[in-house]
Amino acid sequence: IVTHGLADPGRADRRVRINVSGMKFDTRERVLLRYPQTLLGDTVRRQRYYVPEEEEYFFDRHRPSFEGIFRYYQTGKIKRPSNVPLDVFAAELAYFDMGNLVIDTFLTEEGYDVSKDTLPEKEPQRTVWLLFESQESILSKLVGLVTVCFILLSVGTSCTETLPHFRNLTDQSFAHTGDVKTNLNIAFHNTFFQIETACIAWFCIELALRFYASPLKTRFVKDIMNILDFVVIVPYFVSLFLIMANVDVTGSNIIPGTIVRLLRLVRVFRIFKLSRHMRSLQMLGATLRASAPQLIMLVFFMAILVILYASIIYFMEMDHPDHFFPSIPEAFWWAIITLTTVGYGDIYPQTPLGKAFACICVISGILVIAMPLPIVTKNFEKFYKKNGNNPFKNLPLDNHRGS
Amino acid sequence: IVTHGLADPGRADRRVRINVSGMKFDTRERVLLRYPQTLLGDTVRRQRYYVPEEEEYFFDRHRPSFEGIFRYYQTGKIKRPSNVPLDVFAAELAYFDMGNLVIDTFLTEEGYDVSKDTLPEKEPQRTVWLLFESQESILSKLVGLVTVCFILLSVGTSCTETLPHFRNLTDQSFAHTGDVKTNLNIAFHNTFFQIETACIAWFCIELALRFYASPLKTRFVKDIMNILDFVVIVPYFVSLFLIMANVDVTGSNIIPGTIVRLLRLVRVFRIFKLSRHMRSLQMLGATLRASAPQLIMLVFFMAILVILYASIIYFMEMDHPDHFFPSIPEAFWWAIITLTTVGYGDIYPQTPLGKAFACICVISGILVIAMPLPIVTKNFEKFYKKNGNNPFKNLPLDNHRGS
Amino acid sequence: IVTHGLADPGRADRRVRINVSGMKFDTRERVLLRYPQTLLGDTVRRQRYYVPEEEEYFFDRHRPSFEGIFRYYQTGKIKRPSNVPLDVFAAELAYFDMGNLVIDTFLTEEGYDVSKDTLPEKEPQRTVWLLFESQESILSKLVGLVTVCFILLSVGTSCTETLPHFRNLTDQSFAHTGDVKTNLNIAFHNTFFQIETACIAWFCIELALRFYASPLKTRFVKDIMNILDFVVIVPYFVSLFLIMANVDVTGSNIIPGTIVRLLRLVRVFRIFKLSRHMRSLQMLGATLRASAPQLIMLVFFMAILVILYASIIYFMEMDHPDHFFPSIPEAFWWAIITLTTVGYGDIYPQTPLGKAFACICVISGILVIAMPLPIVTKNFEKFYKKNGNNPFKNLPLDNHRGS
Amino acid sequence: IVTHGLADPGRADRRVRINVSGMKFDTRERVLLRYPQTLLGDTVRRQRYYVPEEEEYFFDRHRPSFEGIFRYYQTGKIKRPSNVPLDVFAAELAYFDMGNLVIDTFLTEEGYDVSKDTLPEKEPQRTVWLLFESQESILSKLVGLVTVCFILLSVGTSCTETLPHFRNLTDQSFAHTGDVKTNLNIAFHNTFFQIETACIAWFCIELALRFYASPLKTRFVKDIMNILDFVVIVPYFVSLFLIMANVDVTGSNIIPGTIVRLLRLVRVFRIFKLSRHMRSLQMLGATLRASAPQLIMLVFFMAILVILYASIIYFMEMDHPDHFFPSIPEAFWWAIITLTTVGYGDIYPQTPLGKAFACICVISGILVIAMPLPIVTKNFEKFYKKNGNNPFKNLPLDNHRGS
Ligand SMILES: [K+]
Ligand SMILES: [K+]
């Protein structure tokens, strides 16, 4: 007869047999007692599964999964056996009551995001937060849709106003020739400026309310998406300031001209605001973050190849009377466009030697780009699958703790 | 001694041992009784395999497959173990008599199409149906071949008639200068119109007969392929109507001109009629349907990149005297052609900054296109394998129900 | 006590236990007796491994491999378990004496070529055969090297003679203005013709000797590589005939001009003769043969897309005053060059609609080309691995039959 | 009762049972005694794990790993089971004390570099070696950073001096019109020459100190990276010699001109010096070395296709009045640029036949390039993973020898 309890100091070395649907696992008591909160580590709870005739603990559970759970007791590391599906293993982890820490570690390793959102506790912050940050109620979905529409409208306007047809209208809002009052008058009668004002109004309201509702203000301020939300509003107020200050930015003054251009460009970045509303953009972002080392490596490899190949082609093509390579830095362009197989055809080698070399250039370009690609695509697949259901949400109901 | 029958309420908890060629599975009677229609769930049928000396049920069957079958009793989910080939697992499913529902679920998960065709019951519909819809008899194959020939002839004509050499002949059939009778006379002496009439005649007959033979008229009408069959016939009758109505469509009237162009374009879509006769086109279609989320995502990512990169390059290239980017929407074209590495060379950046940026543009384009590709190619491989033999058609003959 | 022999009719149903290094396989005598030539099927030979105390047959062999061997007795199909390396499984197949048929079936399934060469029995054919067909002796390697040199020389000449610098020399050998004697005189003083004559002489000798040595003449004649060997010799003799017949082929006569061109082109195909001497070219050929269905499908898909997209772009670009698409067949070229992302830039869409459509065109082209690629690359990997050592050549020496 | 010791000659055939956490392995004493240095092969050491009641050796260890360790005793080959992670298997190898030879063999097979660096024994060589060759102390990291900066400065100068803006300055340092003194004076007042002198000084010092500290001089001299280090220094001293010897290299003398060009090109190769300091470049190098057979094959395939396609297109396009293919060698360029889908657009086919053929050319190019790519990318992934932690550095602390 086996006794259960920590009283007996010598029993830690006793052999324990666990029979999982016919697959038998032998270990010592000591190993199981490493995790006393789990079903197997708790001598009292596991007693229920003891079969005295066979002197073993019998579990009518998934056998291959238990290999991974058993390994946790032996090594302290949780890993799903490669031939067991995620949801099956998740169910077994829950059955054997491995604890939230183990499950979170496991989920993180499988690529799941286990961080939880913090909901504000007080009203009316809670209502506002649910309206803007969650996508669960119909009203919050509507708010999201309105924001998406304003984003698209804003970006669309930024692109459209550069069309030759609208050039006059666009220049108008930046030509500050009269006094402040006239300028403002012209600006607010300009259709583009009106649309812009409407968009900015909505973006400001949304950002302000979300900041108001945010339970952790410092975390809110540090969040890259919120910084973006703020940055893309700024250009409007700078424009307004330029109008007020009566600064002429249409002329040949280089510095204000560059500033205006930057202001107009920043408005296009509003398209990234979509990522708050589109899961697929979040996946892309997560993939790029996870693949950052590979991407940096790719850019680094390409930089080396570009410098090398540009130098070689420069010296090779030097003798051709109409060569396209006046200097090595200008040959960089050829190297980039050839390595990536774009091949605009604006510059290309013309000497036999240069042509032969271009072949090496293209093939090595394809190789160097192809090398890190599988790592990046695997990352994407991982994040893509992760967007499926959390395996711990749909657990089968035969959890033993409920019976 | 173990008794078999549901009479004894206490025996559901009794341990049962199943020995599959030496691999032992322990469970409780209750688990097996969940599926009483199966071989293991039926206490009477399984009795035959009982070995009293060993107190176990002995099956001289494939061991790794049984891991997957056993899991079905434990969790209600059927999944082929990854190291077991499809046909072996199918044979084991049949041996253990898991039932059509389980087998269909399993096949659907493996990518097979388990929906059955409905054959009309009455004659002559049945004969007509077999002639046009199945590809099994020689006669039906011949009918299929004739249709394919007419499709190719029809598409070939549509392409050929645009050649400068045949331009006069083509224009003739759309120039309605005289009265109806003259128009019709001209039209029916035109070689292209004669070929078109022959094709349309066959397509009409085929569609009408298939509709006549169809056992489920509403399903027939809703089927996308049948709608296509109908749509590609329409242009001919509209042309005929235009001739009758004596509408001049060769002139500068924009609306009728567009209509004629659409009519002529629709005729080329007849090429999709081939998909009824070519398995590989059906595979392509199934792959694209299954990969729709990835493809939408790909287009969405590209749209964002195109807008962003077009804006950036527009502001970067603005200062170059002969730049190719008059507006952001026109820069979209450059962004598309660069992201996809086509690089026609009609427009390209010329400032050093623009060139450096183009590098980022190309690399990110390759990455974004490459990301969803493995998912799409895996879908294709799945559908491609599916076109092999159904694993339940070639089962080994040692099925226990036959012995 | 278990008796061994086929005398007892009732014993076929007796249970047999096989212990492979601790992994136990239970089956019935009947199953093992299906293959009496094998170690396990032969009751006398297997007796040696019987352990009476345990009532089992004990084999101190690789456990996971036996899963695959055991399955052969149960289902008659041989398949290597996915987690067992090829050479290990091969060693186990040999140990359990599964017979050449099983091993050949298995090797064929793994992608190995198990067909054996037939060596001629008599001399001197045998010596000649070993010299030209095997690559094992130093002399045969030297002969191979000479052939490769002649191939390269011949192909190199074919390419070089088209250079403007050598144009006169090339034309000379085809200008038959004088009488036969003069023509021959001119020809045989022409350096290119001299080289050609030397190459042809070697190729003729080699082909004649190989035919002479070939043990199966009909198989030799039907072999595609031998047909190629013959075809690439023919142009020389046709040239010689033209010189003899005094046919002028330099003038504007279209038919003889085309013939001369074909003759000159055929000479370049001699490069395929290399495949007899380069394993990597044989691999490429085997991959292309094995991937033929996918390649046909790829070409078929592209053909459909090209027809469709060419038609659409034709109607879309029609209104642009300087459009590049005079007819649908001429738009095919654009569609091909865009689908494959080559983008020469000689023709491209210019209307906004056409540009937007080109984007779809490129993306679908990438998708359609990418889809069958993994199947083709997997075929290549299979054939590439196959070129490693035959797993049955380096078997471990602990084969039980030798002890 | 089982006795342990080599005294009894008959006991080598005795059966031994090893129970690894419930998974049982049966073998004969003889098999284990093959490797007497290992834990299982040493009858005295393994005695500790003997459980007399069960007549077996019990190990509370990872079960799936032991399959691979057990196989080593049977076949003498070490291989990690595919479903066991690397670090787990490494821990088990250490536990069962398989010895350094087995572990090194295993690591080499997994792609790890097990060669050890030889540290010089005496001072001050040891200090210098640690400073330049290891990257562990802060000071050695600083030295590495300085070297990287000098490399970048040197390569940057080489590229910049080709800019039209700096052309005069560049030519100056190569124009040797006056006497030696004047030349040297001009040179050392030239900014580019000053920078170059500084870089060379550092490179010389570094190379000299590393040579001084190197414990194995011959190995140092043969190392490809050290040869590179030396070669990229040479151009400076040749330049200096040219100045001293008063050789004019700016004129039309072809040979000195080519030498100067080579000298300037060699300086750009200094970028490869970075690979001593960047792990990712070492990975790229290792991948290319490991993929050399595939790359040679790829180049070989492309060469064959290029020759073949260039010949075909040459004869196809011959009749077009403005064709771009004056000779087959000039058509090589088109074939390369088309096979790789670069498509500069400088030359392209214009006849319908040539265009149709170009399609085949592109598709076969994509196929041929794609075929060896997965092998290359897998090599890269292997070397990329290898750069993670060595699995034997972070072993779990429950090693039995320490207890
Ligand atoms: K291009
Ligand atoms: K391209």
Side-chain angles (χ1 to χ4, degrees), chain A residues 342-343, chain B residues 342-343, chain C residues 342-343, chain D residues 342-343:
Chain A
V342 172
Chain B
V342 171
Chain C
V342 172
Chain D
V342 172

Side-chain angles (χ1 to χ4, degrees), chain B residues 91 96-97 101 111 121 175 177 221 250 260 271 279 286 302 309 314 343 346 370:
Chain B
F96 287 103
D97 201 12
L101 192 68
E121 284 173 11
T177 47
V221 167
T250 51
V260 166
I271 206 158
R279 278 219 289 202
M302 290 206 64
Y309 290 165
Y314 170 75
D346 53 341

Side-chain angles (χ1 to χ4, degrees), chain A residues 341-345, chain B residues 341-345, chain C residues 341-345, chain D residues 341-345:
Chain A
T341 78
V342 172
Y344 285 126
Chain B
T341 76
V342 171
Y344 285 125
Chain C
T341 77
V342 172
Y344 284 124
Chain D
T341 78
V342 172
Y344 285 126

Side-chain angles (χ1 to χ4, degrees), chain C residues 21 60 63 162 344 381 384, chain D residues 27 31 74 294 328 334 338:
Chain C
S21 297
D60 194 3
R63 300 146 48 111
T162 64
Y344 284 124
E381 279 184 90
Y384 190 75
Chain D
T27 187
V31 171
Q74 288 187 326
Q294 286 84 48
I328 293 179
W334 170 81
T338 303

